[in-house]
Amino acid sequence: MSSPAPVVLVFLDPAFPDGRVADASKPQLLVTDLGVTRGDGVFETMLAVGGTVRKMQAHLDRLAGSATALDLDIPDQDAWRRAIAAAVARHWSENVPADPSADELVVKLVVTRGAEGATTPTAWVQASPAGAVGRRQRETGIDVILLDRGYDSDVAERAPWLLLGAKTLSYAVNMAALRHAHKQGADDVIFTSSDGRVLEGPTSTVLLAHVEKSDDGTTVKRLITPQLDSGILPGTSQGALFAAAKAAGWELGYGPLEPRDLLDADAVWLISSVRLLAPVNRIDGNEIGTPSVQKELTTELNRLFAGIQ
């Protein structure tokens, strides 16, 4: 039996300015913690490469936005930064020298409303090695299926208490969607709204591209993502890649998108902070784009994305 992957835990604690290191092999949460019993909390997941965390400010800002949506008081960003630095440094010093290929770490920030009846949240940073599945999917691509999320595209504005734009711990539906996809022989899911709009993946943002020739014969590349006001989580990776693509001369667009738009695209990707850019090979069994074009565009976008910190 293989040993579990090494995990470093650092709890945010006012008594410890840089965070309190905890033993990940031992219980750390009370059974009454509302993050466990009700999924009442928020989180972020980041990627650290070579000991450097990517897009940290964007993730901290989104964590704060999610907490605001839940009326949840969380530690300030400086406290998070110190705890993140402590977790990454400890994991790097204890594990990477023994395994030089393990240059990618998943850094997860979690904050719950705390134990039932408590007045302070429970907050911690978790650092662990990135899995091999994500790396493989970046290289080989993925097959996805479309699933109806069961809400129309205006529900986020009409019913903000559904928290559709917040990254909460209530991920049971997302995980159920992924299990359903796996039973169908697919790798992932793209959610659609009940009124036929393309939304997002359970743990990712949807991107598509079109390549066209302009009247003067130059190549025009257009990168498109669903509308951000349709009840989806604003993607930190999507935002960063859009900025880099714009600087490189790409045109940008924001939905509204329908499933037909995905099938007509020259390339489609699911993008997230840890898996990065995963090319979509098939949607509901239909091949997407042209493999050579998809490969060329993926290479270019990966190059742009690699320069983002």
Side-chain angles (χ1 to χ4, degrees):
M1 180 181 296
S2 60
S3 59
V7 176
V8 170
L9 287 181
V10 176
F11 280 81
L12 280 73
D13 186 330
F16 297 82
D18 296 328
R20 173 176 56 83
V21 178
D23 187 344
S25 67
K26 296 180 180 179
Q28 298 294 336
L29 294 180
L30 293 173
V31 295
T32 56
D33 192 289
L34 293 172
V36 176
T37 60
R38 295 184 178 177
D40 193 356
V42 296
F43 76 102
E44 284 290 325
T45 306
M46 308 180 292
L47 183 68
V49 180
T52 300
V53 178
R54 303 185 67 188
K55 302 186 283 86
M56 186 188 300
Q57 187 61 53
H59 283 284
L60 290 174
D61 289 343
R62 191 169 67 178
L63 183 75
S66 296
T68 297
L70 271 70
D71 296 319
L72 177 63
D73 291 328
I74 67 173
D76 63 41
Q77 292 191 355
D78 286 341
W80 283 109
R81 287 180 178 277
R82 292 192 298 270
I84 291 167
V88 171
R90 189 179 184 94
H91 198 292
W92 189 259
S93 64
E94 290 181 354
N95 299 292
V96 172
D99 183 8
S101 66
D103 60 339
E104 293 187 358
L105 292 180
V106 177
V107 181
K108 193 168 185 177
L109 318 181
V110 184
V111 55
T112 80
R113 205 169 297 275
E116 191 167 353
T119 59
T120 57
T122 305
W124 70 92
V125 176
Q126 173 180 317
S128 57
V133 173
R135 294 190 190 218
R136 184 173 67 250
Q137 290 183 348
R138 295 176 208 165
E139 299 170 358
T140 63
I142 56 177
D143 291 348
V144 308
I145 59 175
L146 300 177
L147 291 182
D148 185 347
R149 180 174 262 172
Y151 301 121
D152 63 54
S153 57
D154 295 326
V155 71
E157 181 177 356
R158 190 173 66 251
W161 50 86
L162 292 176
L163 303 174
L164 294 182
K167 197 173 180 69
T168 74
L169 293 175
S170 304
Y171 253 49
V173 170
N174 288 355
M175 298 301 98
L178 287 175
R179 289 192 298 272
H180 179 77
H182 297 161
K183 291 174 183 177
Q184 308 305 310
D187 302 296
D188 214 317
V189 167
I190 293 176
F191 285 124
T192 59
S193 65
S194 59
D195 54 342
R197 298 289 177 84
V198 173
L199 298 175
E200 60 190 341
T203 62
S204 58
T205 305
V206 178
L207 300 178
L208 64 84
H210 287 288
V211 180
E212 302 169 349
K213 290 289 186 180
S214 65
D215 293 339
D216 62 4
T218 58
T219 299
V220 177
K221 299 173 185 175
R222 184 171 174 82
L223 194 60
I224 307 169
T225 197
Q227 286 177 298
L228 297 179
D229 61 356
S230 58
I232 65 176
L233 183 73
T236 61
S237 296
Q238 170 268 315
L241 184 58
F242 261 43
K246 182 178 181 180
W250 286 63
E251 293 186 357
L252 307 178
Y254 292 88
L257 298 174
E258 299 178 354
R260 183 77 252 169
D261 296 311
L262 299 175
L263 301 178
D264 291 341
D266 291 308
V268 176
W269 301 270
L270 292 184
I271 186 171
S272 58
S273 293
V274 173
R275 185 172 57 184
L276 306 181
L277 202 63
V280 175
N281 297 327
R282 298 173 189 82
I283 298 176
D284 287 342
N286 300 294
E287 292 192 7
I288 301 302
T290 304
S292 60
V293 174
Q294 182 201 65
K295 183 177 181 180
E296 178 183 345
L297 296 177
T298 300
T299 298
E300 181 176 350
L301 291 177
N302 275 328
R303 185 171 63 250
L304 294 174
F305 201 42
I308 296 169
Q309 293 295 333

